[in-house]
Amino acid sequence: MTNFPNLIDGEWTMGTQSVPNVNPSDTNDVIGQAASATTEEVEQAIDAAAAAQVGWSKSTPQQRFDILDAIGTEILARKEELGDLLAREEGKTLPEGIGEVARAGQIFKFFAGEALRIPGERLESVRPGVEVDIRREALGVIGIITPWNFPIAIPAWKSAPALCYGNAVVMKAAEAVPGSAWALADIIHRSGLPKGVFNLVNGKGSKIGPVMIDHPKVAGISFTGSVQTGQQVAQGCAKNLKKVQLEMGGKNPMVVLDDADLDIAVGACVNGAFFSTGQRCTASSRLIVTEGIYDAFVAAMSKTVSALTVGDARKAGTQIGPVIDQRQLEKDLEYVQIAQQEGATLVCGGEKIEGSGHFMSPALFVDTANHMRINQEEVFGPVATIIKAKDYEEALKLANDTEFGLSAGICTTSLKYATDFKANAKAGMVMVNLPTAGVDYHVPFGGTKGSSYGSREQGRYAAEFYSTVKTSYMQA
Ligand code: UN1
């Protein structure tokens, strides 16, 4: 059994409270005990971060490069081992877990490079003899709150840019996945980063979030999680005039047109809807299919989906792992019932699989209308619906008829429709002949409408949130 302590001012601490880290594939497998920070511990971490940030903000691009690059190198070198831990505590399949760890390593490598390219500008003043320069400076202490579904990639894509631009970090990872956050903190801790610059305070979100939000020494909060919690975070940050960045839900459409390549469409929809057990805010949960391909698509989808192998996340051959916990499983099954009560027809799956983990068979619905709750509310599980559309125009309208706007996909061989969809889909990310989920690490990530709030994450656009702009005037 392993301990997953918190990291406060360069010291590991289990504190006074801890919670078990349980394997969702086998609840008899308790991976370890995770520290659960108290209010005082979070305050200590924030004080330490504020004190350490002053020095870190003065570090050179070379120092930042070396540290971020070393972190990336170690993560990549240990991707199998860390991928196994991730799959064990989160339940995505081992290949997905290893892939996610590799992504985290690549993110650190990317921001190592960005540390060498922190941009500035020099302009002539409108006044004679005066010159103006514009530079990016660190914000200060960043509070980072991460979800359970990407236990290492999301902590990486928030903490790497935070450190790159000279900030200090106080991070709270989701209670269900303390192991990956601890492993990341351990690598960061040994990387040569001055103590106190990166702190980990895992524990209850309802307790730790408000401390971060109300603390005067925290300059900004980057949050990924539910819409409901995101709204509370934004309200608290607005009251305290803190910078805030939110990534929340999705109800991402995948349009399949008559002219689509059927194999590509089915591949993209199965991956987008069900991989990672559908537990991605980028999941393709609404499949909007035009009349001419509808019957063939439904037949091919139901054949493929019902043949998916559901099982232990770390077992070779598993395609769909467990749901994260009992509560989420109950929610997923409740949505299966809701859909049926609304008149949707279950084509396959949607059943709890008995065993020692939180398993359910992937559920696919037909005869659904876009206004139904099953098509408007995010389930965050292995549940997808098919909506029939007359033609491209109707499909686009349905795709956009949602309060979310994270990712939108289309499968088509038509340049005309692909081009039109890229222009008119109301989403932050558009995918053509690709799943709505599964993004690159070097380009911006984020959505429109109810999915995101604040500036984009990832790529060089991350600078917008993790730095502040200073304009200096000088008369020579
Ligand atoms: C991806 O689809 O590759 O929580 C990433 C989520 C997103 C990340 C999705 N923030 O599902």
Side-chain angles (χ1 to χ4, degrees), residues 22-31 83-97 277 308-323 353-360:
V22 178
N23 178 349
S25 296
D26 175 5
T27 53
N28 299 317
D29 175 27
V30 178
I31 304 160
D84 184 73
L85 172 63
L86 197 163
R88 189 174 167 202
E89 69 176 355
E90 198 272 345
K92 64 182 66 173
T93 64
L94 191 54
E96 287 176 319
T277 322
L308 289 169
T309 307
V310 183
D312 190 306
R314 292 148 80 212
K315 200 171 144 203
T318 293
Q319 291 169 294
I320 310 290
V323 170
I353 300 173
E354 294 307 327
S356 52
H358 308 296
F359 296 104
M360 80 177 262

mmCIF file of all heavy atoms in Angstrom, residues 22-31 83-97 277 308-323 353-360:
data_model
loop_
_atom_site.group_PDB
_atom_site.id
_atom_site.type_symbol
_atom_site.label_atom_id
_atom_site.label_comp_id
_atom_site.label_asym_id
_atom_site.label_seq_id
_atom_site.Cartn_x
_atom_site.Cartn_y
_atom_site.Cartn_z
ATOM 1 N N VAL A 22 -9.100 3.946 -4.542
ATOM 2 C CA VAL A 22 -9.660 2.638 -4.885
ATOM 3 C C VAL A 22 -9.654 2.433 -6.402
ATOM 4 O O VAL A 22 -9.977 3.350 -7.166
ATOM 5 C CB VAL A 22 -11.100 2.527 -4.328
ATOM 6 C CG1 VAL A 22 -11.732 1.187 -4.703
ATOM 7 C CG2 VAL A 22 -11.104 2.702 -2.814
ATOM 8 N N ASN A 23 -9.323 1.217 -6.816
ATOM 9 C CA ASN A 23 -9.308 0.846 -8.233
ATOM 10 C C ASN A 23 -10.745 0.623 -8.720
ATOM 11 O O ASN A 23 -11.421 -0.283 -8.225
ATOM 12 C CB ASN A 23 -8.473 -0.441 -8.357
ATOM 13 C CG ASN A 23 -8.409 -0.979 -9.769
ATOM 14 O OD1 ASN A 23 -9.133 -0.540 -10.660
ATOM 15 N ND2 ASN A 23 -7.526 -1.955 -9.968
ATOM 16 N N PRO A 24 -11.227 1.400 -9.697
ATOM 17 C CA PRO A 24 -12.617 1.225 -10.146
ATOM 18 C C PRO A 24 -12.848 -0.079 -10.916
ATOM 19 O O PRO A 24 -13.988 -0.502 -11.071
ATOM 20 C CB PRO A 24 -12.862 2.443 -11.043
ATOM 21 C CG PRO A 24 -11.517 2.889 -11.497
ATOM 22 C CD PRO A 24 -10.557 2.515 -10.394
ATOM 23 N N SER A 25 -11.761 -0.719 -11.384
ATOM 24 C CA SER A 25 -11.911 -2.030 -12.055
ATOM 25 C C SER A 25 -12.105 -3.145 -11.036
ATOM 26 O O SER A 25 -12.615 -4.214 -11.359
ATOM 27 C CB SER A 25 -10.660 -2.371 -12.876
ATOM 28 O OG SER A 25 -10.471 -1.466 -13.924
ATOM 29 N N ASP A 26 -11.628 -2.905 -9.799
ATOM 30 C CA ASP A 26 -11.711 -3.923 -8.751
ATOM 31 C C ASP A 26 -11.666 -3.196 -7.412
ATOM 32 O O ASP A 26 -10.599 -2.829 -6.917
ATOM 33 C CB ASP A 26 -10.524 -4.891 -8.883
ATOM 34 C CG ASP A 26 -10.493 -5.900 -7.746
ATOM 35 O OD1 ASP A 26 -11.437 -5.923 -6.919
ATOM 36 O OD2 ASP A 26 -9.510 -6.676 -7.675
ATOM 37 N N THR A 27 -12.830 -3.016 -6.827
ATOM 38 C CA THR A 27 -12.898 -2.183 -5.618
ATOM 39 C C THR A 27 -12.242 -2.847 -4.405
ATOM 40 O O THR A 27 -12.078 -2.219 -3.371
ATOM 41 C CB THR A 27 -14.364 -1.810 -5.293
ATOM 42 O OG1 THR A 27 -15.131 -3.009 -5.246
ATOM 43 C CG2 THR A 27 -14.939 -0.873 -6.346
ATOM 44 N N ASN A 28 -11.859 -4.137 -4.555
ATOM 45 C CA ASN A 28 -11.098 -4.765 -3.469
ATOM 46 C C ASN A 28 -9.636 -4.311 -3.486
ATOM 47 O O ASN A 28 -8.894 -4.545 -2.546
ATOM 48 C CB ASN A 28 -11.118 -6.295 -3.608
ATOM 49 C CG ASN A 28 -12.535 -6.823 -3.531
ATOM 50 O OD1 ASN A 28 -13.314 -6.379 -2.678
ATOM 51 N ND2 ASN A 28 -12.887 -7.725 -4.426
ATOM 52 N N ASP A 29 -9.239 -3.713 -4.591
ATOM 53 C CA ASP A 29 -7.842 -3.279 -4.744
ATOM 54 C C ASP A 29 -7.724 -1.822 -4.267
ATOM 55 O O ASP A 29 -8.087 -0.897 -4.997
ATOM 56 C CB ASP A 29 -7.438 -3.412 -6.221
ATOM 57 C CG ASP A 29 -6.044 -2.870 -6.499
ATOM 58 O OD1 ASP A 29 -5.205 -2.865 -5.574
ATOM 59 O OD2 ASP A 29 -5.796 -2.450 -7.654
ATOM 60 N N VAL A 30 -7.242 -1.667 -3.035
ATOM 61 C CA VAL A 30 -7.017 -0.308 -2.514
ATOM 62 C C VAL A 30 -5.562 0.044 -2.829
ATOM 63 O O VAL A 30 -4.630 -0.571 -2.315
ATOM 64 C CB VAL A 30 -7.308 -0.234 -0.998
ATOM 65 C CG1 VAL A 30 -7.013 1.173 -0.467
ATOM 66 C CG2 VAL A 30 -8.766 -0.604 -0.729
ATOM 67 N N ILE A 31 -5.393 1.034 -3.702
ATOM 68 C CA ILE A 31 -4.061 1.356 -4.232
ATOM 69 C C ILE A 31 -3.214 2.047 -3.172
ATOM 70 O O ILE A 31 -2.008 1.882 -3.109
ATOM 71 C CB ILE A 31 -4.207 2.242 -5.489
ATOM 72 C CG1 ILE A 31 -5.102 1.552 -6.521
ATOM 73 C CG2 ILE A 31 -2.856 2.593 -6.090
ATOM 74 C CD1 ILE A 31 -5.697 2.473 -7.556
ATOM 75 N N GLY A 83 1.502 5.113 -16.614
ATOM 76 C CA GLY A 83 0.270 4.786 -17.333
ATOM 77 C C GLY A 83 -0.485 3.666 -16.629
ATOM 78 O O GLY A 83 -1.715 3.650 -16.587
ATOM 79 N N ASP A 84 0.271 2.740 -16.045
ATOM 80 C CA ASP A 84 -0.349 1.643 -15.304
ATOM 81 C C ASP A 84 -1.036 2.162 -14.040
ATOM 82 O O ASP A 84 -2.166 1.790 -13.726
ATOM 83 C CB ASP A 84 0.706 0.590 -14.954
ATOM 84 C CG ASP A 84 0.087 -0.605 -14.272
ATOM 85 O OD1 ASP A 84 -0.593 -1.382 -14.970
ATOM 86 O OD2 ASP A 84 0.245 -0.749 -13.044
ATOM 87 N N LEU A 85 -0.354 3.060 -13.332
ATOM 88 C CA LEU A 85 -0.958 3.666 -12.132
ATOM 89 C C LEU A 85 -2.237 4.423 -12.509
ATOM 90 O O LEU A 85 -3.268 4.323 -11.838
ATOM 91 C CB LEU A 85 0.056 4.620 -11.471
ATOM 92 C CG LEU A 85 -0.463 5.478 -10.317
ATOM 93 C CD1 LEU A 85 -0.926 4.623 -9.140
ATOM 94 C CD2 LEU A 85 0.619 6.465 -9.838
ATOM 95 N N LEU A 86 -2.143 5.154 -13.627
ATOM 96 C CA LEU A 86 -3.297 5.942 -14.077
ATOM 97 C C LEU A 86 -4.484 5.030 -14.419
ATOM 98 O O LEU A 86 -5.620 5.250 -13.985
ATOM 99 C CB LEU A 86 -2.873 6.773 -15.295
ATOM 100 C CG LEU A 86 -3.738 7.946 -15.712
ATOM 101 C CD1 LEU A 86 -2.954 8.873 -16.636
ATOM 102 C CD2 LEU A 86 -5.018 7.532 -16.387
ATOM 103 N N ALA A 87 -4.201 3.970 -15.185
ATOM 104 C CA ALA A 87 -5.264 3.036 -15.568
ATOM 105 C C ALA A 87 -5.849 2.367 -14.320
ATOM 106 O O ALA A 87 -7.050 2.118 -14.232
ATOM 107 C CB ALA A 87 -4.720 1.991 -16.535
ATOM 108 N N ARG A 88 -4.993 2.105 -13.359
ATOM 109 C CA ARG A 88 -5.433 1.417 -12.137
ATOM 110 C C ARG A 88 -6.344 2.317 -11.291
ATOM 111 O O ARG A 88 -7.317 1.860 -10.708
ATOM 112 C CB ARG A 88 -4.202 0.997 -11.334
ATOM 113 C CG ARG A 88 -4.492 0.101 -10.162
ATOM 114 C CD ARG A 88 -3.193 -0.373 -9.534
ATOM 115 N NE ARG A 88 -3.405 -0.993 -8.233
ATOM 116 C CZ ARG A 88 -2.466 -1.100 -7.302
ATOM 117 N NH1 ARG A 88 -1.234 -0.658 -7.532
ATOM 118 N NH2 ARG A 88 -2.740 -1.666 -6.145
ATOM 119 N N GLU A 89 -6.038 3.602 -11.224
ATOM 120 C CA GLU A 89 -6.862 4.447 -10.347
ATOM 121 C C GLU A 89 -8.020 5.130 -11.075
ATOM 122 O O GLU A 89 -9.007 5.504 -10.456
ATOM 123 C CB GLU A 89 -6.011 5.501 -9.616
ATOM 124 C CG GLU A 89 -5.425 6.596 -10.475
ATOM 125 C CD GLU A 89 -4.681 7.670 -9.662
ATOM 126 O OE1 GLU A 89 -4.682 7.632 -8.424
ATOM 127 O OE2 GLU A 89 -4.093 8.545 -10.315
ATOM 128 N N GLU A 90 -7.901 5.310 -12.411
ATOM 129 C CA GLU A 90 -8.941 6.040 -13.144
ATOM 130 C C GLU A 90 -9.823 5.117 -13.966
ATOM 131 O O GLU A 90 -11.002 5.399 -14.175
ATOM 132 C CB GLU A 90 -8.300 7.090 -14.047
ATOM 133 C CG GLU A 90 -9.256 8.170 -14.519
ATOM 134 C CD GLU A 90 -10.006 7.856 -15.806
ATOM 135 O OE1 GLU A 90 -9.616 6.908 -16.543
ATOM 136 O OE2 GLU A 90 -11.002 8.538 -16.084
ATOM 137 N N GLY A 91 -9.236 4.042 -14.498
ATOM 138 C CA GLY A 91 -10.052 3.074 -15.220
ATOM 139 C C GLY A 91 -10.027 3.206 -16.735
ATOM 140 O O GLY A 91 -10.727 2.473 -17.421
ATOM 141 N N LYS A 92 -9.222 4.166 -17.292
ATOM 142 C CA LYS A 92 -9.111 4.109 -18.746
ATOM 143 C C LYS A 92 -8.148 2.976 -19.083
ATOM 144 O O LYS A 92 -7.380 2.522 -18.224
ATOM 145 C CB LYS A 92 -8.730 5.457 -19.361
ATOM 146 C CG LYS A 92 -7.395 6.029 -19.022
ATOM 147 C CD LYS A 92 -7.193 7.406 -19.689
ATOM 148 C CE LYS A 92 -8.130 8.470 -19.159
ATOM 149 N NZ LYS A 92 -7.863 9.821 -19.642
ATOM 150 N N THR A 93 -8.211 2.476 -20.309
ATOM 151 C CA THR A 93 -7.415 1.292 -20.636
ATOM 152 C C THR A 93 -5.935 1.629 -20.555
ATOM 153 O O THR A 93 -5.539 2.797 -20.660
ATOM 154 C CB THR A 93 -7.738 0.786 -22.050
ATOM 155 O OG1 THR A 93 -7.355 1.797 -22.990
ATOM 156 C CG2 THR A 93 -9.219 0.475 -22.206
ATOM 157 N N LEU A 94 -5.132 0.573 -20.412
ATOM 158 C CA LEU A 94 -3.686 0.764 -20.268
ATOM 159 C C LEU A 94 -3.090 1.550 -21.446
ATOM 160 O O LEU A 94 -2.350 2.521 -21.219
ATOM 161 C CB LEU A 94 -3.017 -0.602 -20.090
ATOM 162 C CG LEU A 94 -1.558 -0.601 -19.669
ATOM 163 C CD1 LEU A 94 -1.324 0.213 -18.413
ATOM 164 C CD2 LEU A 94 -1.088 -2.038 -19.457
ATOM 165 N N PRO A 95 -3.417 1.189 -22.709
ATOM 166 C CA PRO A 95 -2.865 2.007 -23.811
ATOM 167 C C PRO A 95 -3.290 3.478 -23.714
ATOM 168 O O PRO A 95 -2.494 4.380 -23.985
ATOM 169 C CB PRO A 95 -3.450 1.355 -25.074
ATOM 170 C CG PRO A 95 -3.824 -0.024 -24.665
ATOM 171 C CD PRO A 95 -4.167 0.026 -23.211
ATOM 172 N N GLU A 96 -4.541 3.711 -23.309
ATOM 173 C CA GLU A 96 -4.980 5.106 -23.149
ATOM 174 C C GLU A 96 -4.222 5.787 -22.007
ATOM 175 O O GLU A 96 -3.858 6.959 -22.097
ATOM 176 C CB GLU A 96 -6.489 5.168 -22.855
ATOM 177 C CG GLU A 96 -7.367 4.869 -24.045
ATOM 178 C CD GLU A 96 -8.859 4.858 -23.685
ATOM 179 O OE1 GLU A 96 -9.238 4.333 -22.614
ATOM 180 O OE2 GLU A 96 -9.644 5.383 -24.484
ATOM 181 N N GLY A 97 -3.998 5.031 -20.931
ATOM 182 C CA GLY A 97 -3.279 5.585 -19.780
ATOM 183 C C GLY A 97 -1.847 5.950 -20.157
ATOM 184 O O GLY A 97 -1.356 7.039 -19.836
ATOM 185 N N THR A 277 -14.307 5.258 -21.620
ATOM 186 C CA THR A 277 -15.618 5.005 -21.020
ATOM 187 C C THR A 277 -16.558 6.206 -21.188
ATOM 188 O O THR A 277 -17.444 6.440 -20.364
ATOM 189 C CB THR A 277 -15.471 4.601 -19.525
ATOM 190 O OG1 THR A 277 -14.304 3.780 -19.387
ATOM 191 C CG2 THR A 277 -16.652 3.798 -19.012
ATOM 192 N N LEU A 308 -17.805 -4.460 -28.341
ATOM 193 C CA LEU A 308 -16.698 -3.881 -27.565
ATOM 194 C C LEU A 308 -16.451 -4.705 -26.301
ATOM 195 O O LEU A 308 -17.401 -5.146 -25.646
ATOM 196 C CB LEU A 308 -17.015 -2.425 -27.174
ATOM 197 C CG LEU A 308 -16.999 -1.398 -28.315
ATOM 198 C CD1 LEU A 308 -17.587 -0.067 -27.845
ATOM 199 C CD2 LEU A 308 -15.578 -1.203 -28.855
ATOM 200 N N THR A 309 -15.185 -4.886 -25.970
ATOM 201 C CA THR A 309 -14.836 -5.660 -24.782
ATOM 202 C C THR A 309 -14.742 -4.733 -23.579
ATOM 203 O O THR A 309 -13.900 -3.839 -23.536
ATOM 204 C CB THR A 309 -13.473 -6.360 -24.993
ATOM 205 O OG1 THR A 309 -13.553 -7.092 -26.211
ATOM 206 C CG2 THR A 309 -13.138 -7.293 -23.842
ATOM 207 N N VAL A 310 -15.645 -4.957 -22.624
ATOM 208 C CA VAL A 310 -15.656 -4.163 -21.396
ATOM 209 C C VAL A 310 -14.941 -4.973 -20.325
ATOM 210 O O VAL A 310 -15.237 -6.157 -20.153
ATOM 211 C CB VAL A 310 -17.104 -3.866 -20.938
ATOM 212 C CG1 VAL A 310 -17.111 -2.985 -19.695
ATOM 213 C CG2 VAL A 310 -17.910 -3.211 -22.061
ATOM 214 N N GLY A 311 -14.022 -4.368 -19.616
ATOM 215 C CA GLY A 311 -13.352 -5.144 -18.576
ATOM 216 C C GLY A 311 -12.323 -4.340 -17.816
ATOM 217 O O GLY A 311 -12.266 -3.109 -17.921
ATOM 218 N N ASP A 312 -11.521 -5.092 -17.058
ATOM 219 C CA ASP A 312 -10.484 -4.468 -16.236
ATOM 220 C C ASP A 312 -9.596 -3.583 -17.118
ATOM 221 O O ASP A 312 -9.100 -4.016 -18.153
ATOM 222 C CB ASP A 312 -9.636 -5.580 -15.583
ATOM 223 C CG ASP A 312 -8.696 -5.024 -14.524
ATOM 224 O OD1 ASP A 312 -7.919 -4.090 -14.832
ATOM 225 O OD2 ASP A 312 -8.749 -5.529 -13.386
ATOM 226 N N ALA A 313 -9.392 -2.350 -16.675
ATOM 227 C CA ALA A 313 -8.677 -1.367 -17.481
ATOM 228 C C ALA A 313 -7.282 -1.828 -17.874
ATOM 229 O O ALA A 313 -6.779 -1.456 -18.933
ATOM 230 C CB ALA A 313 -8.585 -0.054 -16.706
ATOM 231 N N ARG A 314 -6.650 -2.643 -17.021
ATOM 232 C CA ARG A 314 -5.248 -3.005 -17.272
ATOM 233 C C ARG A 314 -5.106 -4.352 -17.964
ATOM 234 O O ARG A 314 -3.996 -4.802 -18.216
ATOM 235 C CB ARG A 314 -4.471 -3.012 -15.961
ATOM 236 C CG ARG A 314 -4.329 -1.594 -15.387
ATOM 237 C CD ARG A 314 -4.311 -1.622 -13.887
ATOM 238 N NE ARG A 314 -3.030 -1.984 -13.344
ATOM 239 C CZ ARG A 314 -2.877 -2.658 -12.204
ATOM 240 N NH1 ARG A 314 -3.925 -3.083 -11.536
ATOM 241 N NH2 ARG A 314 -1.673 -2.888 -11.739
ATOM 242 N N LYS A 315 -6.226 -4.998 -18.268
ATOM 243 C CA LYS A 315 -6.161 -6.304 -18.914
ATOM 244 C C LYS A 315 -5.985 -6.121 -20.422
ATOM 245 O O LYS A 315 -6.676 -5.300 -21.034
ATOM 246 C CB LYS A 315 -7.474 -7.042 -18.620
ATOM 247 C CG LYS A 315 -7.383 -8.517 -18.798
ATOM 248 C CD LYS A 315 -8.631 -9.198 -18.286
ATOM 249 C CE LYS A 315 -8.919 -10.370 -19.194
ATOM 250 N NZ LYS A 315 -10.292 -10.795 -19.191
ATOM 251 N N ALA A 316 -5.089 -6.899 -21.008
ATOM 252 C CA ALA A 316 -4.880 -6.807 -22.457
ATOM 253 C C ALA A 316 -6.187 -7.133 -23.166
ATOM 254 O O ALA A 316 -6.884 -8.074 -22.789
ATOM 255 C CB ALA A 316 -3.782 -7.772 -22.876
ATOM 256 N N GLY A 317 -6.529 -6.366 -24.163
ATOM 257 C CA GLY A 317 -7.741 -6.635 -24.930
ATOM 258 C C GLY A 317 -8.941 -5.828 -24.491
ATOM 259 O O GLY A 317 -9.925 -5.721 -25.217
ATOM 260 N N THR A 318 -8.890 -5.245 -23.284
ATOM 261 C CA THR A 318 -10.020 -4.418 -22.843
ATOM 262 C C THR A 318 -10.099 -3.170 -23.710
ATOM 263 O O THR A 318 -9.101 -2.515 -23.969
ATOM 264 C CB THR A 318 -9.852 -4.024 -21.363
ATOM 265 O OG1 THR A 318 -9.953 -5.196 -20.561
ATOM 266 C CG2 THR A 318 -10.921 -3.023 -20.926
ATOM 267 N N GLN A 319 -11.320 -2.875 -24.165
ATOM 268 C CA GLN A 319 -11.515 -1.651 -24.967
ATOM 269 C C GLN A 319 -12.225 -0.569 -24.168
ATOM 270 O O GLN A 319 -12.030 0.612 -24.400
ATOM 271 C CB GLN A 319 -12.327 -1.983 -26.224
ATOM 272 C CG GLN A 319 -11.544 -2.836 -27.212
ATOM 273 C CD GLN A 319 -12.430 -3.369 -28.308
ATOM 274 O OE1 GLN A 319 -13.328 -4.173 -28.059
ATOM 275 N NE2 GLN A 319 -12.199 -2.923 -29.526
ATOM 276 N N ILE A 320 -13.085 -0.997 -23.252
ATOM 277 C CA ILE A 320 -13.826 -0.044 -22.419
ATOM 278 C C ILE A 320 -13.611 -0.438 -20.960
ATOM 279 O O ILE A 320 -13.968 -1.544 -20.544
ATOM 280 C CB ILE A 320 -15.349 -0.078 -22.736
ATOM 281 C CG1 ILE A 320 -15.617 0.044 -24.247
ATOM 282 C CG2 ILE A 320 -16.090 0.988 -21.925
ATOM 283 C CD1 ILE A 320 -15.321 1.383 -24.864
ATOM 284 N N GLY A 321 -13.053 0.450 -20.188
ATOM 285 C CA GLY A 321 -12.812 0.182 -18.774
ATOM 286 C C GLY A 321 -14.042 0.514 -17.942
ATOM 287 O O GLY A 321 -15.135 0.745 -18.477
ATOM 288 N N PRO A 322 -13.868 0.549 -16.632
ATOM 289 C CA PRO A 322 -15.004 0.829 -15.752
ATOM 290 C C PRO A 322 -15.355 2.311 -15.724
ATOM 291 O O PRO A 322 -14.584 3.157 -16.168
ATOM 292 C CB PRO A 322 -14.456 0.407 -14.383
ATOM 293 C CG PRO A 322 -12.993 0.688 -14.480
ATOM 294 C CD PRO A 322 -12.618 0.344 -15.892
ATOM 295 N N VAL A 323 -16.508 2.591 -15.151
ATOM 296 C CA VAL A 323 -16.912 3.948 -14.805
ATOM 297 C C VAL A 323 -16.131 4.313 -13.538
ATOM 298 O O VAL A 323 -15.745 3.419 -12.767
ATOM 299 C CB VAL A 323 -18.448 3.956 -14.585
ATOM 300 C CG1 VAL A 323 -18.938 5.252 -14.001
ATOM 301 C CG2 VAL A 323 -19.161 3.616 -15.891
ATOM 302 N N ILE A 353 -22.821 -4.299 -15.362
ATOM 303 C CA ILE A 353 -22.207 -5.625 -15.455
ATOM 304 C C ILE A 353 -21.739 -6.009 -14.055
ATOM 305 O O ILE A 353 -20.956 -5.284 -13.440
ATOM 306 C CB ILE A 353 -21.017 -5.608 -16.449
ATOM 307 C CG1 ILE A 353 -21.514 -5.190 -17.849
ATOM 308 C CG2 ILE A 353 -20.310 -6.953 -16.481
ATOM 309 C CD1 ILE A 353 -20.419 -4.980 -18.872
ATOM 310 N N GLU A 354 -22.264 -7.107 -13.556
ATOM 311 C CA GLU A 354 -21.940 -7.517 -12.185
ATOM 312 C C GLU A 354 -20.457 -7.889 -12.087
ATOM 313 O O GLU A 354 -19.868 -8.382 -13.039
ATOM 314 C CB GLU A 354 -22.805 -8.708 -11.761
ATOM 315 C CG GLU A 354 -24.302 -8.388 -11.642
ATOM 316 C CD GLU A 354 -24.639 -7.194 -10.744
ATOM 317 O OE1 GLU A 354 -23.919 -6.955 -9.750
ATOM 318 O OE2 GLU A 354 -25.628 -6.473 -11.042
ATOM 319 N N GLY A 355 -19.882 -7.626 -10.955
ATOM 320 C CA GLY A 355 -18.474 -7.937 -10.755
ATOM 321 C C GLY A 355 -17.910 -7.040 -9.678
ATOM 322 O O GLY A 355 -18.659 -6.338 -8.986
ATOM 323 N N SER A 356 -16.587 -7.049 -9.562
ATOM 324 C CA SER A 356 -15.991 -6.282 -8.472
ATOM 325 C C SER A 356 -15.628 -4.855 -8.884
ATOM 326 O O SER A 356 -15.005 -4.131 -8.128
ATOM 327 C CB SER A 356 -14.768 -7.015 -7.933
ATOM 328 O OG SER A 356 -13.912 -7.318 -9.003
ATOM 329 N N GLY A 357 -16.014 -4.442 -10.098
ATOM 330 C CA GLY A 357 -15.762 -3.061 -10.527
ATOM 331 C C GLY A 357 -17.047 -2.373 -10.958
ATOM 332 O O GLY A 357 -18.115 -2.979 -10.996
ATOM 333 N N HIS A 358 -16.910 -1.091 -11.332
ATOM 334 C CA HIS A 358 -18.087 -0.295 -11.714
ATOM 335 C C HIS A 358 -18.293 -0.355 -13.226
ATOM 336 O O HIS A 358 -18.063 0.623 -13.932
ATOM 337 C CB HIS A 358 -17.903 1.155 -11.285
ATOM 338 C CG HIS A 358 -17.538 1.319 -9.840
ATOM 339 N ND1 HIS A 358 -18.383 0.950 -8.816
ATOM 340 C CD2 HIS A 358 -16.418 1.792 -9.252
ATOM 341 C CE1 HIS A 358 -17.792 1.202 -7.658
ATOM 342 N NE2 HIS A 358 -16.603 1.701 -7.892
ATOM 343 N N PHE A 359 -18.722 -1.517 -13.711
ATOM 344 C CA PHE A 359 -18.802 -1.692 -15.163
ATOM 345 C C PHE A 359 -20.216 -1.541 -15.697
ATOM 346 O O PHE A 359 -21.172 -1.973 -15.063
ATOM 347 C CB PHE A 359 -18.291 -3.082 -15.553
ATOM 348 C CG PHE A 359 -16.834 -3.276 -15.231
ATOM 349 C CD1 PHE A 359 -16.457 -4.035 -14.121
ATOM 350 C CD2 PHE A 359 -15.855 -2.693 -16.016
ATOM 351 C CE1 PHE A 359 -15.111 -4.213 -13.824
ATOM 352 C CE2 PHE A 359 -14.506 -2.874 -15.721
ATOM 353 C CZ PHE A 359 -14.139 -3.628 -14.621
ATOM 354 N N MET A 360 -20.325 -0.967 -16.888
ATOM 355 C CA MET A 360 -21.590 -1.031 -17.613
ATOM 356 C C MET A 360 -21.301 -1.202 -19.101
ATOM 357 O O MET A 360 -20.240 -0.794 -19.590
ATOM 358 C CB MET A 360 -22.464 0.204 -17.352
ATOM 359 C CG MET A 360 -22.121 1.443 -18.124
ATOM 360 S SD MET A 360 -23.303 2.799 -17.783
ATOM 361 C CE MET A 360 -24.404 2.681 -19.188
#
